Amino acid sequence: MSVVGVDLGALNTVIAVARNRGVDVITNEVSNRATPSMVGFGPKSRYLGEAAKTQEISNLKNTVSGLKRLAGRKFNEPELDIERQFISADLVEARGGELGARVKYLGQDEVFTGTQLIAMFLSKVRQTASAELKLPVSDVVVSVPPWFTDAQRRSIMDAAEIAGLKLLRLMNDTTATALGYGITKTDLPTGEEKPRRVAFIDIGHSNYTCSIVAFKKGELTVLSTAYDRHFGGRNFDKALIDHFAKEFKEKYKIDVYTNPKAYFRVAAGVEKLKKILSANAQSVLNIESVMNDVDASSTMKREELEELVMPLLSRVTIPLEQALADAGLSKSDIDAIELVGGCTRVPSLKDKIAEFFGKPLSFTLNQDEAVARGCAFACAILSPVFKVRDFSVHDIVSYPIEFTWEQSNDIPDEDTSLTVFNKNNAVPSTKILTFYRKDPFDLEAKYAEPNKLPGVMDPWIGRFSVKGVKADSKNDFMICKLKARVNLHGVLNVESGYWVEEVEVEEEIKEEGDAMETDENVKPKTRKVKKQVKGGDLPVLSTTATIDQTLKNIYMEREIEMVMEDKLVADTEDRKNALEEYIYELRGKLDDLYSEFASGDEKSRLRSILDDAENWLYEEGEDTTKAVYVSKIEELRSYAGPIAQRYFDREEEKRQAEIAKQQE
Ligand code: ATP
Ligand code: K
Ligand code: MG
């Protein structure tokens, strides 16, 4: 069994595996250590990961990037207009008001939900990992931003299931980074020593997170997490695109906003420019024939870039201040500041963060791979097949969770809501809720402070119907206990319910000081106390953002079907290439290896058969089925057969002669 960690980034996804000697990042089919987080659709198959990136510019409308930003979103959320600036496919309303993308797939318009699109990508991740490991892959830990809500987390969980993965844990990005940091350190404080407090800062393509984490030997505790959900490399890119679009309008009289292809070429160009400006004071932007046959070019100095992103740079310290305040710490309490994420290579960001803390920054972790590595460690800890030093991870709840219910007619002064998990409550965490009821009842869970959620969102988390509740024989209330748990994934469930009875029991009174006395003639003193003993279970029916199983099964079958379609297209392409290769190979052999075994007539006949086959391949045979290519190869083989046989017979003769000679 394999142990895999996945950093599902807005731009790039990194896959790490735990092996006996440690954690390694694996490479994909084109030997890259990160795979573009995107999916594309074509007339015959899907394009996943690298393939999606390759055809992106020629297939913008049918390519969906920034996948994780779609997780668990509703179509009517106003903030999605921000995502639309970065995603070229049409974002539309899908089943049940969910956000989806409309694409042309197999010649037809189709809407896939965000969850389905993420599932397609995770399915590719599974294939990449199992190709590399030469093992089926199922157990994974996947990272998410800590600000993900219950619905967003459930979307990733459903997507993983649709993709055929067993998700052992959804892990917050910075917590994964912290785990990777802590588990490899041998000098963490022990016992009464003051814990080591580290600020982990991750600035990626789309978002910025700062977590303050306390380490002791064998454990980490997240003290606080603060974030800016719209702060990352893509915001730098956008500022640059806007700048050059304006410049090109004046200089070349072209408007790249009106031409999606031109826009995306500028986008690709400025990302490169931005990276160069992290290491150089100045650079050039050259885009050949960007539109209307204009070759656009320009230059930029690092200071100009910094000027353009001033609105962003001025926000850099906000999450840092927030994280310190939530942790109740001051800058001087922080022992180290660890930076990860591609965007932390930007010098002005580094400077501002270092200036804020008044101390040098650390880059001891691999900036691009730390999250995936942390996830792989988490997977190893949770996997039964792997032995790894145990390391406890205490994470926190990002938004307060409240339960509400209808007032019982029998209890007029009962409250009807309770905040059960506060912000910064530990994760995982279980709380027992007690209700006095004579009838079945419903609970509803929601986020208590909707204005703190990532954008304008429905704060609803779930509805839990408690069944089997009734009054007892004396028409007294049933005492109902419900187990509410924020689990390892950071999602809320009412995991079980039961009712209890109050019974009177005799309890021994332990008097102080007499623990050592054993006078058998003195009866121990007792008193009567009320105790609650479990009576029986109460079934709980949950409705949450998780897709219901019937629909999930449909999605799963569909995903398998699409994987088969993709595979068939890939196999067909493979056989077509094999046919082409065979034609060239046979031609070559006719000139050398087989030359003395065929008559002039035979050769010219076979050559003309090969020419016909080649012409066929570029005409009717350009686009046909796998079976046709396979039979074409067989056909050519049969023509070449007699010649090849003569060659092999001669080779065999030679071999026998050799053996005979040795035995002499
Ligand atoms: P997110 O964490 O937001 O989901 P991600 O994990 O995919 O996104 P990363 O891989 O951490 O993001 O970072 C990618 C971003 O970092 C891109 O915007 C990329 O252009 C930027 N980046 C990478 N290298 C550099 C560099 N040398 N200078 C500036 N920016 C860089
Ligand atoms: K990443
Ligand atoms: Mg990231």
Side-chain angles (χ1 to χ4, degrees):
M1 247 201 293
S2 54
V3 174
V4 174
V6 178
D7 168 11
L8 180 62
L11 186 70
N12 288 315
T13 291
V14 180
I15 310 170
V17 301
R19 298 192 167 117
N20 287 321
R21 306 187 59 91
V23 167
D24 301 319
V25 163
I26 64 172
T27 56
N28 63 20
E29 69 273 24
V30 294
S31 303
N32 285 336
R33 295 171 75 84
T35 299
S37 308
M38 49 171 80
V39 298
F41 298 85
K44 290 200 279 174
S45 70
R46 304 179 295 180
Y47 313 109
L48 307 176
E50 293 288 354
K53 181 81 202 162
T54 309
Q55 52 79 67
E56 181 183 22
I57 291 231
S58 59
N59 194 26
L60 286 167
K61 277 278 156 230
N62 301 308
T63 302
V64 192
S65 59
L67 292 169
K68 78 176 201 191
R69 306 287 296 195
L70 308 181
R73 310 305 295 265
K74 294 278 183 205
F75 173 68
N76 61 11
E77 289 173 20
E79 218 183 61
L80 292 174
D81 282 341
I82 298 178
E83 302 309 322
R84 285 196 173 86
Q85 298 180 345
F86 303 105
I87 298 174
S88 57
D90 274 339
L91 298 185
V92 299
E93 182 163 10
R95 189 200 57 88
E98 221 184 297
L99 178 69
R102 175 178 296 115
V103 293
K104 206 174 203 80
Y105 174 47
L106 307 182
Q108 277 179 341
D109 272 351
E110 192 160 353
V111 173
F112 291 107
T113 66
T115 304
Q116 276 182 295
L117 295 164
I118 295 167
M120 294 179 194
F121 183 72
L122 289 178
S123 166
K124 176 66 185 181
V125 166
R126 184 173 52 73
Q127 292 167 44
T128 302
S130 54
E132 168 71 22
L133 295 171
K134 301 182 176 64
L135 272 176
V137 164
S138 132
D139 292 2
V140 286
V141 169
V142 176
S143 72
V144 291
W147 50 265
F148 259 29
T149 61
D150 206 87
Q152 290 175 298
R153 287 168 195 269
R154 286 179 190 272
S155 164
I156 305 280
M157 291 161 68
D158 287 340
E161 193 180 334
I162 295 165
L165 291 168
K166 185 164 162 228
L167 185 63
L168 300 190
R169 180 172 194 161
L170 265 191
M171 197 164 204
N172 291 333
D173 295 319
T174 36
T175 309
T177 304
L179 174 60
Y181 172 93
I183 206 163
T184 52
K185 291 271 179 295
T186 50
D187 59 346
L188 294 177
T190 53
E192 292 308 298
E193 284 179 272
K194 178 171 93 49
R196 181 184 307 171
R197 300 188 191 108
V198 182
F200 292 94
I201 297 169
D202 181 346
I203 311 180
H205 190 55
S206 65
N207 69 166
Y208 166 6
T209 310
C210 173
S211 285
I212 297 178
V213 181
F215 290 93
K216 285 215 152 189
K217 188 170 186 285
E219 74 177 316
L220 73 82
T221 307
V222 179
L223 302 178
S224 65
T225 299
Y227 22 81
D228 188 328
R229 291 171 294 107
H230 298 292
F231 190 126
R234 68 179 193 173
N235 302 93
F236 279 70
D237 297 349
K238 185 70 171 63
L240 284 167
I241 298 170
D242 289 348
H243 166 83
F244 286 112
K246 199 163 146 232
E247 183 181 311
F248 294 168
K249 210 168 189 173
E250 286 160 17
K251 206 153 122 188
Y252 306 116
K253 311 279 173 273
I254 54 170
D255 183 357
V256 297
Y257 291 117
T258 60
N259 181 326
K261 240 176 227 178
Y263 181 91
F264 271 78
R265 292 195 55 212
V266 174
V270 301
E271 201 207 345
K272 270 198 207 106
L273 173 73
K274 170 189 73 174
K275 288 183 181 173
I276 296 171
L277 287 178
S278 289
N280 299 274
Q282 137 166 18
S283 181
V284 291
L285 176 73
N286 284 317
I287 308 167
E288 252 176 66
S289 163
V290 60
M291 63 186 280
N292 304 354
D293 288 329
V294 170
D295 294 337
S297 71
S298 189
T299 61
M300 183 168 274
K301 292 201 175 71
R302 187 190 285 171
E303 297 92 82
E304 290 174 83
L305 167 64
E306 287 168 5
E307 194 58 39
L308 286 175
V309 294
M310 219 19 121
L312 271 186
L313 292 181
S314 64
R315 286 179 2 220
V316 178
T317 55
I318 298 175
L320 308 178
E321 268 156 14
Q322 184 72 50
L324 284 173
D326 285 359
L329 296 175
S330 63
K331 297 170 190 177
S332 57
D333 295 322
I334 303 301
D335 298 306
I337 305 130
E338 288 284 347
L339 265 60
V340 299
C343 206
T344 55
R345 291 193 179 87
V346 174
S348 51
L349 281 177
K350 289 194 274 196
D351 293 347
K352 282 219 162 5
I353 296 168
E355 190 187 312
F356 174 84
F357 283 103
K359 57 178 79 150
L361 309 173
S362 311
F363 295 89
T364 60
L365 300 160
N366 181 313
Q367 272 168 290
D368 302 310
E369 301 177 352
V371 175
R373 293 172 56 82
C375 289
F377 277 119
C379 193
I381 291 172
L382 292 167
S383 167
V385 299
F386 217 83
K387 270 208 201 77
V388 65
R389 196 178 326 145
D390 208 14
F391 203 93
S392 313
V393 176
H394 310 287
D395 211 333
I396 50 177
V397 168
S398 294
Y399 315 102
I401 297 170
E402 173 186 71
F403 277 89
T404 59
W405 54 87
E406 267 183 21
Q407 199 169 51
S408 156
N409 292 332
D410 312 297
I411 315 173
D413 56 350
E414 185 192 55
D415 283 336
T416 57
S417 74
L418 179 71
T419 298
V420 175
F421 297 94
N422 280 304
K423 182 180 157 96
N424 292 359
N425 191 105
V427 170
S429 168
T430 304
K431 305 245 163 136
I432 305 288
L433 314 180
T434 306
F435 289 89
Y436 296 85
R437 286 289 187 280
K438 293 178 183 176
D439 301 297
F441 63 102
D442 279 8
L443 288 178
E444 203 149 86
K446 62 180 170 72
Y447 286 115
E449 296 173 32
N451 59 332
K452 300 265 169 67
L453 294 179
V456 179
M457 296 188 155
D458 187 354
W460 183 84
I461 297 174
R463 190 172 188 86
F464 307 96
S465 301
V466 187
K467 310 285 182 199
V469 182
K470 55 179 192 285
D472 71 7
S473 52
K474 287 174 271 168
N475 195 33
D476 261 348
F477 296 112
M478 185 179 251
I479 308 172
C480 309
K481 300 274 182 180
L482 301 172
K483 217 184 216 179
R485 181 170 167 84
V486 177
N487 65 18
L488 272 183
H489 306 303
V491 304
L492 175 79
N493 284 305
V494 174
E495 291 193 336
S496 62
Y498 55 95
W499 57 276
V500 295
E501 271 175 320
E502 268 181 356
V503 290
E504 272 198 347
V505 291
E506 297 266 328
E507 194 184 69
E508 198 174 316
I509 303 174
K510 286 223 171 73
E511 276 170 30
E512 249 165 74
D514 67 358
M516 303 302 286
E517 284 170 35
T518 49
D519 187 343
E520 277 165 30
N521 299 322
V522 181
K523 269 202 177 164
K525 288 177 195 158
T526 62
R527 65 176 169 205
K528 287 193 169 160
V529 292
K530 278 193 175 173
K531 270 216 163 150
Q532 292 187 336
V533 298
K534 187 173 165 181
D537 288 328
L538 295 173
V540 180
L541 223 83
S542 307
T543 318
T544 62
T546 293
I547 303 172
D548 77 76
Q549 199 58 46
T550 323
L551 185 60
K552 215 185 291 178
N553 291 343
I554 293 172
Y555 285 165
M556 272 154 104
E557 275 162 33
R558 184 72 203 283
E559 177 57 33
I560 291 170
E561 210 178 280
M562 290 188 282
V563 168
M564 309 272 270
E565 271 155 7
D566 294 345
K567 189 170 177 322
L568 183 62
V569 169
D571 287 351
T572 306
E573 193 61 26
D574 180 62
R575 287 300 87 199
K576 186 182 173 190
N577 291 337
L579 172 60
E580 194 174 25
E581 258 167 48
Y582 186 69
I583 294 171
Y584 288 122
E585 185 192 308
L586 200 52
R587 259 201 207 116
K589 282 184 176 165
L590 278 181
D591 290 336
D592 49 55
L593 280 190
Y594 294 168
S595 183
E596 54 179 297
F597 302 98
S599 68
D601 256 10
E602 273 179 317
K603 279 189 211 168
S604 64
R605 198 150 45 90
L606 192 51
R607 281 206 185 93
S608 100
I609 288 171
L610 291 176
D611 289 346
D612 288 349
E614 190 177 9
N615 289 336
W616 174 85
L617 201 47
Y618 298 122
E619 285 154 24
E620 310 103 88
E622 163 81 70
D623 181 13
T624 176
T625 64
K626 179 180 162 190
V628 172
Y629 293 124
V630 169
S631 72
K632 197 81 182 172
I633 296 175
E634 290 310 312
E635 188 190 323
L636 295 184
R637 275 221 173 88
S638 72
Y639 288 125
I643 303 169
Q645 193 59 49
R646 280 172 233 149
Y647 165 75
F648 284 123
D649 288 349
R650 230 286 294 285
E651 289 297 295
E652 182 60 18
E653 257 169 50
K654 274 201 220 160
R655 205 175 63 89
Q656 294 296 348
E658 197 66 31
I659 294 170
K661 207 166 135 197
Q662 274 169 14
Q663 284 171 347
E664 261 168 28

